[in-house]
Amino acid sequence: MVEAGMQTTMPPTTAGHTPTPEHSAPPLPGGACDLVTVPARQGLEAVDILRRGAREAVGPVLHDGGATLGFLVPPGTAAAWDVPGSTCTETDGRGLTLNPEPPVEGSDWLLPPGACDLATDPTVLRAALGEAARTIEAADSCR
């Protein structure tokens, strides 16, 4: 389904909606979201890739202070998430709050929620994680 004014070339995301022209996802209703967790190295590379493309392309990102990063994505993403090396957890808003305080003790926001609290578009995140994995593989093979 394509909304009025949307380009018909944009594929639906894994959450079943069409991304907005700037590749952002809809606002998170009441904090409900899913959480894509990836290894920190790949996640940091993906954040760089997303931020180079368009500032709106990446939503809030949680860092556990250690080995993983978590990208907030629209609710429903977990049902179709299939990216190797990552996990998508359905939260239904449980335990996640979109305010300056991190929702999990011992974690912190790498990119805190902003005024509009946009989630990262799952299709754009999938592409960035793939590019990040290829970049890391290439860098490691040069050693």
Side-chain angles (χ1 to χ4, degrees), residues 65-89:
T68 61
L69 256 84
F71 292 84
L72 273 61
V73 293
T77 301
W81 190 256
D82 60 355
V83 177
S86 68
T87 304
C88 189
T89 307

Side-chain angles (χ1 to χ4, degrees), residues 27-133:
L28 300 172
C33 60
D34 289 351
L35 184 70
V36 172
T37 307
V38 298
R41 184 176 179 201
Q42 183 181 14
L44 291 169
E45 186 68 35
V47 167
D48 286 345
I49 291 164
L50 290 168
R51 292 189 79 182
R52 279 193 311 258
R55 179 120 176 103
E56 297 84 16
V58 62
V61 178
L62 195 61
H63 188 255
D64 71 358
T68 61
L69 256 84
F71 292 84
L72 273 61
V73 293
T77 301
W81 190 256
D82 60 355
V83 177
S86 68
T87 304
C88 189
T89 307
E90 197 175 315
T91 67
D92 295 325
R94 296 183 307 262
L96 284 176
T97 55
L98 295 179
N99 62 46
E101 294 301 315
V104 180
E105 188 174 325
S107 67
D108 202 0
W109 291 110
L110 178 67
L111 296 175
C116 56
D117 296 328
L118 296 175
T120 300
D121 184 285
T123 302
V124 176
L125 178 58
R126 174 179 277 122
L129 290 172
E131 184 178 340

